[in-house]
Amino acid sequence: MSDRVRLGVFGVSLAGLLGLVMWAFVGLPDFGDYRGPYGDILNRVAVPERSTTDVVTAVNFDYRGFDTLGEEFILFTAVIGVASILRTLRGERTRPPDDDAAGRDVPETSLPIRVTGLGLVAPTVLIGIYIVAHGHQTPGGGFQGGVILATALLLTYLSADYMTLRAVGPNWLIELAEGLGAAGFALIGVAGLVFGSAFFENVLGKGTPGELPSAGLIPLSNAAVGLAVTGGFIFMLSEFLEQALTRRRDRRRGRGARRSA
Amino acid sequence: MVLARDPLRQAMVASIYGLLLGILFFLFQAPDVALSQTVVGAVALPMMILLALAKVRGGEE
């Protein structure tokens, strides 16, 4: 196909695509013109029914808590997938990871980066905890806060080194957080079955809207999801970090090389 | 994203796009989604790409 024919075909398909996209855009409802009934109903009932001033969280962790449980376990499965793909295989030897293991000549972390990074750790943790704890009142929740908490640990790696990261967040603690969070969220759902009548029924007292301990089980769900997400993200990031920093030697290949020599 | 051929630059561009999308969500009054988009799209995803790149390049040398 010559360049000219290719350009012609590209032009025709681009024009067709643009036409279809424009057609689709014309058919869209106006911005803010919401036609579905559920959003309006929820906006009206969420505060009196559940004492949540953030309706999105009320939907995520109460009205549609079951969906969130599914999402939670998608992350859980993804973490397990990363862990099982990146595990140490038989025949592979690992060296203790240090920053120059990948054959890189790593310059010393500069003082400004260290100071800024370490200075940011505490505020990041605080913001993360705040977002998890106030999930039922202000935008945010377990997922968003959890990822922010996970990045706090990443900051310790950026401003210190890998061994400090390991010391601050040992593997067993991360795995415990991940497991406890995921199981805790599922158990909160079961609590609805045991003490109420439906999975994820909000069986705790709803309290006063706007107060920190309110909205029944929603803050607990948020805390559980926050724990699971923090654990999951830290686990994945440290697995990736370990991969990047460790030089793995294939024992079989080494033996073969020796035999041929 | 198309114009940047180097994966390292692509990761940076992806991060900026993630941040822009987050700001866009915020402007359209969806702060919950904006928060998730910002932390995942602008921080976590590029971070994982960078780490994967570091691993791949470390193996080449």
Side-chain angles (χ1 to χ4, degrees):
Chain A
M1 204 187 286
S2 75
D3 277 359
R4 189 180 286 176
V5 178
R6 196 179 292 168
L7 263 178
V9 172
F10 172 70
V12 170
S13 44
L14 186 69
L17 179 70
L18 277 180
L20 283 174
V21 169
M22 291 310 284
W23 186 37
F25 267 120
V26 169
L28 278 178
D30 290 337
F31 180 71
D33 179 25
Y34 178 71
R35 302 264 172 89
Y38 298 112
D40 293 331
I41 295 174
L42 279 172
N43 273 341
R44 236 178 297 124
V45 301
V47 178
E49 259 188 27
R50 299 287 196 267
S51 295
T52 48
T53 46
D54 184 22
V55 181
V56 178
T57 307
V59 173
N60 279 343
F61 292 99
D62 190 328
Y63 296 109
R64 300 295 323 156
F66 190 64
D67 297 5
T68 310
L69 185 70
E71 285 167 25
E72 168 57 44
F73 277 90
I74 290 175
L75 183 70
F76 191 70
T77 319
V79 171
I80 292 175
V82 168
S84 53
I85 288 174
L86 298 183
R87 71 191 186 281
T88 315
L89 292 173
R90 225 186 307 167
E92 276 184 339
R93 265 181 311 173
T94 53
R95 285 172 149 210
D98 57 335
D99 267 353
D100 29 43
R104 297 179 300 159
D105 193 19
V106 180
E108 190 96 335
T109 315
S110 67
L111 193 64
I113 292 183
R114 273 171 184 269
V115 172
T116 319
L118 286 178
L120 276 174
V121 171
T124 312
V125 172
L126 194 66
I127 291 174
I129 292 175
Y130 176 87
I131 287 181
V132 173
H134 292 76
H136 53 301
Q137 289 159 340
T138 50
F143 183 76
Q144 292 91 334
V147 184
I148 292 176
L149 283 174
T151 51
L153 206 82
L154 209 67
L155 278 172
T156 61
Y157 167 70
L158 284 180
S159 46
D161 53 29
Y162 185 74
M163 296 326 278
T164 319
L165 177 84
R166 286 270 74 128
V168 176
N171 244 341
W172 65 267
L173 189 68
I174 298 168
E175 282 164 15
L176 192 72
E178 164 78 357
L180 271 185
F185 188 44
L187 283 177
I188 287 171
V190 175
L193 267 183
V194 174
F195 301 105
S197 56
F199 198 49
F200 273 105
E201 186 177 321
N202 204 335
V203 287
L204 270 184
K206 58 176 183 171
T208 327
E211 275 179 19
L212 192 56
S214 65
L217 285 174
I218 295 176
L220 290 179
S221 310
N222 261 323
V225 170
L227 204 60
V229 170
T230 313
F233 263 86
I234 291 178
F235 187 80
M236 271 204 268
L237 285 173
S238 49
E239 282 279 326
F240 269 73
L241 261 178
E242 209 166 303
Q243 280 291 319
L245 298 180
T246 318
R247 184 160 39 176
R248 283 193 174 162
R249 285 221 177 122
D250 197 335
R251 214 183 272 161
R252 274 167 300 175
R253 202 196 295 154
R255 204 183 295 150
R258 228 174 295 141
R259 201 176 293 156
S260 64
Chain B
M1 190 89 86
V2 177
L3 293 178
R5 287 290 170 194
D6 182 17
L8 195 66
R9 283 160 189 253
Q10 287 175 342
M12 289 300 157
V13 177
S15 168
I16 294 167
Y17 272 141
L19 189 62
L20 282 179
L21 192 57
I23 294 170
L24 210 60
F25 278 135
F26 183 70
L27 290 178
F28 283 112
Q29 300 176 2
D32 287 85
V33 195
L35 266 174
S36 345
Q37 173 60 37
T38 312
V39 284
V40 175
V43 183
L45 177 74
M47 192 65 217
M48 281 178 190
I49 298 176
L50 286 185
L51 286 173
L53 276 179
K55 170 70 179 169
V56 171
R57 299 219 168 141
E60 274 172 4
E61 280 161 11

